[in-house]
Amino acid sequence: MFQVKPVAAERLPELLRRMPKAELHIHIEGSLEPELIFALAQRNGVPLAYASVEALRSAYAFSNLQSFLDIYYAGASVLLKEQDFYDMAQAYLRKAAQDNVVHAELFFDPQTHTARGVSMATVINGLHRACVDAQAELGVSASLILCFLRHLSEEDAFATLEEALPFRDKFIGIGLDSGEVGNPPEKFARVFARCRELGFHLVAHAGEEGPPAYVWTALDVLKVERIDHGVQSIQDAALMRRLAQDSIPLTVCPLSNLKLRVFPDLASHNLGQLLAAGLVATVNSDDPAYFGGYVNENFTQTFAATGLTAQHAYTLARNSFEASFIDDAAKRRHIDRLNESFETFA
Ligand code: ADE
Ligand code: ZN
């Protein structure tokens, strides 16, 4: 096992920023900064309910997941053309590269766009082109995960899958997001079974606001490989043992949990407890334009508030590669670079 040297508390932020990492839980529509929302609204002639960038940003005060989703879906209404999707993803990937993200798996919500008359081709081709260009421009590998909106029906998810299948070589997996409580994973049992037959990777949001029971059914009914959030799993000791035994990764998003009031403050966040229980937790930004920070901000603020150490930093970065959907050779290469970055940090 790799030996991590102790690092003084005041040097930790630098270590966290510099270490290479993967980001596995980022909704690309949640990376749309107010400035880009206004620029795209103007370019496309879309009216906005806010007079200025500042007015829009000041509306970002949320009481729970639904209060955020309402404003997040409204923000996405400025996306109409393939170039808009490209510009959004390119802006995120450039920010990610600055945070030393070397691999990213991007969620997108096609139903948010197809419901407004935007074609599946427009959405996927724009996002995919930005992922391809990121490798050449930034040295960042990026892939796409199509999410079904769980507040809509399973029938709607099936129709979305059909529409997306002509582009199946442009996304690697299927996820499940939007309002969790009242929309349990098992609502999507048949469509996830179909996606599994088709060979997609499977993930689902579960245990963000919803109960541990939703994490169980995401695993046992949907047969997902990773759980997005999953922080409520801590309430169920048997579930914690299952997640540890089967090395099921949790893509944890501390600033999201803070802004959506899943935890009252960052000091109360359970990331340290999840790691202590042997879970494969990772740190991610979820919707960075709305929650006050990209992945490095999630790392530095959480470590400052909870007293996590360099050893935790290494584990979290290593977990991000182990939990990713890249091949074993690429994982090995990234972990070798991670080890080097810790060895040479002085
Ligand atoms: N869509 C975007 N962000 C989300 C979150 N945190 N939970 C569920 N759905 C989302
Ligand atoms: Zn999310």
Side-chain angles (χ1 to χ4, degrees):
M1 196 49 192
F2 185 78
Q3 273 297 315
V4 177
K5 291 179 283 188
V7 171
E10 68 271 18
R11 302 284 322 279
L12 249 184
E14 193 187 339
L15 176 78
L16 292 164
R17 289 191 198 102
R18 269 211 229 160
M19 66 184 187
K21 54 190 73 75
E23 177 147 57
L24 307 178
H25 185 160
I26 155 80
H27 300 264
I28 199 60
E29 294 89 348
S31 74
L32 205 45
E33 294 285 349
E35 289 78 5
L36 189 52
I37 291 182
F38 268 78
L40 293 177
Q42 194 167 31
R43 189 157 100 187
N44 290 329
V46 176
L48 288 174
Y50 297 90
S52 66
V53 164
E54 293 70 35
L56 177 56
R57 195 167 261 124
S58 67
Y60 292 179
F62 313 114
S63 51
N64 56 25
L65 175 58
Q66 192 57 51
S67 66
F68 153 69
L69 290 171
D70 294 341
I71 209 162
Y72 160 83
Y73 294 130
S77 68
V78 298
L79 297 160
L80 294 180
K81 311 262 173 54
E82 185 184 311
Q83 191 63 36
D84 305 338
F85 290 89
Y86 179 92
D87 291 346
M88 171 174 66
Q90 182 188 54
Y92 162 71
L93 288 161
R94 285 179 175 172
K95 286 225 165 74
Q98 285 170 6
D99 278 3
N100 289 312
V101 169
V102 292
H103 174 70
E105 294 175 9
L106 278 49
F107 294 142
F108 69 107
D109 287 341
Q111 288 153 298
T112 301
H113 313 300
T114 53
R116 299 180 288 112
V118 177
S119 76
M120 189 66 82
T122 297
V123 177
I124 296 185
N125 288 337
L127 296 176
H128 184 258
R129 188 158 56 83
C131 291
V132 170
D133 288 355
Q135 185 70 66
E137 188 202 335
L138 306 163
V140 173
S141 57
S143 43
L144 296 171
I145 297 179
L146 182 159
C147 289
F148 298 131
L149 296 179
R150 69 201 303 160
H151 67 273
L152 301 178
S153 67
E154 187 182 45
E155 195 186 353
D156 205 317
F158 264 117
T160 301
L161 176 63
E162 278 310 310
E163 263 185 277
L165 280 181
F167 311 95
R168 62 185 293 174
D169 56 327
K170 295 187 169 149
F171 58 100
I172 61 161
I174 296 290
L176 185 64
D177 64 5
S178 189
E180 185 182 9
V181 174
N183 296 299
E186 53 271 31
K187 178 174 163 187
F188 297 90
R190 292 170 310 159
V191 73
F192 266 68
R194 178 75 189 122
C195 293
R196 192 157 173 257
E197 279 171 9
L198 289 165
F200 289 111
H201 287 293
L202 302 179
V203 300
H205 283 54
E208 177 184 15
E209 286 185 340
Y214 287 18
V215 179
W216 281 112
T217 53
L219 294 173
D220 291 337
V221 180
L222 302 190
K223 305 200 186 299
V224 300
E225 297 157 79
R226 298 196 297 243
I227 297 288
D228 296 311
H229 294 291
V231 291
Q232 303 300 339
S233 305
I234 207 139
Q235 299 170 36
D236 181 336
L239 176 58
M240 292 289 280
R241 284 194 295 277
R242 165 78 183 279
L243 292 167
Q245 259 160 24
D246 290 354
S247 299
I248 306 286
L250 301 188
T251 62
V252 176
C253 308
L255 285 177
S256 164
N257 295 156
L258 176 70
K259 295 293 157 71
L260 301 186
R261 306 200 195 173
V262 173
F263 296 94
D265 48 51
L266 273 185
S268 318
H269 199 284
N270 65 14
L271 178 62
Q273 291 165 272
L274 300 173
L275 290 172
L279 269 56
V280 185
T282 64
V283 167
N284 306 272
S285 66
D286 206 7
D287 301 285
Y290 293 89
F291 299 148
Y294 288 75
V295 70
N296 279 358
E297 203 59 34
N298 274 270
F299 272 107
T300 54
Q301 290 197 30
T302 307
F303 274 60
T306 59
L308 294 178
T309 64
Q311 178 69 60
H312 295 110
Y314 177 80
T315 302
L316 288 162
R318 186 175 174 125
N319 287 350
S320 75
F321 296 120
E322 302 279 11
S324 73
F325 294 137
I326 52 182
D327 64 37
D328 286 346
K331 277 185 193 178
R332 193 64 260 159
R333 272 199 310 278
H334 285 309
I335 292 170
D336 286 347
R337 298 290 297 273
L338 173 67
N339 293 351
E340 247 175 69
S341 88
F342 272 72
E343 270 158 13
T344 57
F345 185 79

